[in-house]
Amino acid sequence: MNTTAHPPYKDPLGSGWMIIAAVCFTLMNLLVKSASQKFSLGTGELVFWRMGFAALFLGISAKAQGKSFRTPHWKAHLNRSISGTLGMLCIFYAIMHLPLATGVTLGYTSSIFLAVLSFIVLKEKISSYTAAVLVLGFIGVVVLLNPSFQSGQEFAALVGLCGGLLAAWAYLLVRELSLLGEPGWRIVFYLSVVGMALSSVWATYTGWHSLSWQTLPHLVGIGLSAMIAQLCMTRAYKVGKKFTVASLSYLTVVFSSLAGVWFLGDKISWQEVLGMGIIVASGILSSLNPSRLRTFRLSK
């Protein structure tokens, strides 16, 4: 009898799953912008199709595995789903009406707002290090938004910023649901179902467009790339190093910036580049524990 213990399986990609997720998120953002420009598809329609794929995939998978859709925390799910959907509608709007890089970066201000909300709502203490990172992040927001305000795009910029705030509130509610013992698939499933309902209402108000062979690849691509990105991101946080994964997630900003310039002809000013750089830096620094930073310095 062979009693040799086999070493635990180690995922060869590890944190690298986040790079694949960043590529897929970039593709989704690019298709959202392209569908808006080429076919005049509205925010509600695009969010509906983005949510639809996740709802269908998770629903079929859960049913096949015999998982239960019932939950005693439906009010918490509803609050999280509404805030998450409204945040996505705002971010999609910003992506559609601003340079791709700017719209995507405004969505990533959620990490800054999350720290602020944790202090205000959860009464968490903020260290001097965290406070400095927050100030840095808001400086980046001001620098990033300045060109948009000067060019008359202040409404789209503020909507995008509101999307970052709503996304942060949704993340806060996800933390609450996780503490209540709700599995991740159920949280995302109810977000997708409620998101489809809310976005369909908005799309009905603004007007639906008929499906065509021209629009279908864009809509399928948005839903498929978003779903793959979500799965890869989840895998990255499960098998990778948290700080590395959090840092790599900002590659979406870099990739989206390049995609906007190369494929959409976006013009990005030096102020926008500087603002994006500051926001990305503050996001990465906010995920780094100061004690780890001191350990790193001592080990050098």
Side-chain angles (χ1 to χ4, degrees), residues 1 17 28-29 64 94-95 133 179 219 248 256 268:
M1 181 178 178
W17 282 103
M28 181 199 74
N29 295 328
I95 289 173
V133 170
L179 292 174
L219 298 177
L248 289 175
S256 295
I268 306 177

Side-chain angles (χ1 to χ4, degrees), residues 1-10:
M1 181 178 178
N2 184 10
T3 58
T4 305
H6 294 283
Y9 172 74
K10 186 176 182 180

Side-chain angles (χ1 to χ4, degrees), residues 112-126:
I112 301 172
F113 286 120
L114 182 59
V116 175
L117 290 174
S118 297
F119 171 70
I120 296 174
V121 178
L122 301 181
K123 309 299 180 183
E124 292 184 356
K125 293 182 179 179
I126 291 185

